[in-house]
Amino acid sequence: MDSLVTGSQRSKAILFTVIASILWSTAGVFIKLLSQDAFTILFYRSFFAALLFLIIFRKEILKVNKLTCIAVLFYAPLLICFVTSTKLTTAANAIFLQYTAPALVLLVEPIFLKTKLSKINIWTVVLCISGMALFFVDQLSAPDNWLGIIIACFSGLMLTGLIVTQKMNNNSGQLAAVFWGNVVVCLITLPWFIDSPYPSLGEFSYLLILGFGQLGLGFIFFLRGQKYLSAIESSLISMLEPILNPVWVIIGYGEVPGLWALMGGLLIVLTLIVRMFVLRQRET
């Protein structure tokens, strides 16, 4: 009976993580479709996400500790950099460069989490950095995208800090970091919200989806799924986000990433997937 329950819990956790990854992957297409500037979008998105967390978790989001405060300092710039870079360059560039973070985590984990830097992790970092370098080839013929590329790289650094800090934190502290991080984003972007015209009904529906669905529900499903999944399984399933994000943008917005950027992104994602499969085989 216990094994049946465990199997059911694991299946539910996989489903929740898949749903989270799919929800997260829709960010690019909605950001591209909205006419508002990045900071106005950020205000609405974080406001609705914070409201959802307040309704669902209530007192739990008040359990703030030192790691929560540090995580907020990474989370808020991460959101700002991602939305801004998605507006300034292709959605594929923004999401793929952000996903260099798992490789960068492998470099800093030995320092903060006292893990060992193995050969497979070194190769992962080398290949992911090589993939990141390919993004800059396209930019030689598209100088207008340089700022977006640089901000997207910074987004990867912020995600690295957030991943490491959240790994060191407890569950309540993690929830609080997401909530207060969104509050900080709202405070930073409030002037842009005040100065912007009220969105149309269609735009408002997109902003609702970005806040409640893509960001808020995405994090809730992801955190619910972590309880019964290993870190490797969770990370592997999360790779759906960078894979699907450019697909939705191509379908819904018609934006096609450059060939070199696509090759770089595929190298990053495939490297991370292969690493996770190798580690999973070693566990079994």
Side-chain angles (χ1 to χ4, degrees):
M1 186 65 155
D2 288 341
S3 61
L4 288 174
V5 172
T6 301
S8 173
Q9 289 173 332
R10 185 173 178 278
S11 297
K12 191 177 292 185
I14 291 172
L15 177 62
F16 283 170
T17 308
V18 168
I19 292 172
S21 300
I22 293 173
L23 286 171
W24 282 343
S25 73
T26 61
V29 66
F30 287 114
I31 292 169
K32 289 291 187 182
L33 288 170
L34 284 163
S35 62
Q36 282 80 10
D37 62 87
F39 276 35
T40 301
I41 293 172
L42 279 159
F43 178 88
Y44 282 102
R45 184 174 180 243
S46 286
F47 176 81
F48 291 133
L51 182 61
L52 184 65
F53 265 63
L54 183 62
I55 293 170
I56 293 177
F57 298 110
R58 301 181 184 180
K59 291 182 179 179
E60 200 165 0
I61 59 175
L62 300 178
K63 297 177 181 178
V64 176
N65 55 42
K66 185 185 295 184
L67 285 171
T68 299
C69 296
I70 296 172
V72 167
L73 297 178
F74 287 114
Y75 180 88
L78 168 64
L79 295 194
I80 292 171
C81 288
F82 174 71
V83 175
T84 304
S85 62
T86 300
K87 279 289 190 182
L88 292 174
T89 184
T90 66
N93 288 355
I95 191 64
F96 283 141
L97 285 171
Q98 181 175 288
Y99 263 80
T100 56
L104 297 175
V105 167
L106 299 178
L107 289 177
V108 298
E109 265 187 340
I111 300 172
F112 296 100
L113 300 179
K114 308 303 179 184
T115 58
K116 185 179 179 181
L117 186 59
S118 61
K119 286 184 179 179
I120 189 172
N121 288 348
I122 294 172
W123 276 109
T124 300
V125 172
V126 170
L127 289 172
C128 285
I129 291 176
S130 299
M132 184 169 62
L134 293 178
F135 282 82
F136 292 91
V137 176
D138 276 340
Q139 305 320 305
L140 296 176
S141 58
D144 291 344
N145 282 344
W146 274 110
L147 181 57
I149 289 290
I150 293 169
I151 294 174
C153 290
F154 191 72
S155 174
L157 292 175
M158 292 300 100
L159 182 56
T160 300
L162 180 66
I163 291 171
V164 173
T165 309
Q166 291 286 67
K167 275 187 177 183
M168 297 167 66
N169 209 348
N170 57 44
N171 186 63
S172 295
Q174 292 174 1
L175 290 172
V178 175
F179 171 77
W180 290 108
N182 281 305
V183 171
V184 169
V185 172
C186 286
L187 292 174
I188 292 172
T189 58
L190 182 61
W192 283 266
F193 164 73
I194 293 172
D195 290 340
S196 66
Y198 194 77
S200 66
L201 184 60
E203 290 173 332
F204 191 73
S205 65
Y206 287 165
L207 292 165
L208 278 174
I209 293 170
L210 274 174
F212 283 124
Q214 184 270 329
L215 188 60
L217 276 178
F219 263 107
I220 289 170
F221 274 113
F222 184 76
L223 292 171
R224 293 297 190 200
Q226 300 319 290
K227 192 173 181 181
Y228 303 106
L229 285 181
S230 68
I232 293 174
E233 286 179 311
S234 174
S235 299
L236 182 59
I237 296 169
S238 298
M239 285 296 108
L240 282 171
E241 182 189 0
I243 292 171
L244 291 177
N245 183 300
V247 174
W248 302 140
V249 175
I250 291 171
I251 294 172
Y253 188 69
E255 179 185 81
V256 181
L259 178 61
W260 286 103
L262 188 59
M263 289 171 60
L266 289 175
L267 179 57
I268 291 169
V269 172
L270 288 175
T271 297
L272 294 172
I273 289 174
V274 169
R275 174 186 176 273
M276 291 169 202
F277 270 120
V278 170
L279 292 180
R280 189 175 180 184
Q281 288 299 314
R282 290 180 180 176
E283 285 185 351
T284 57

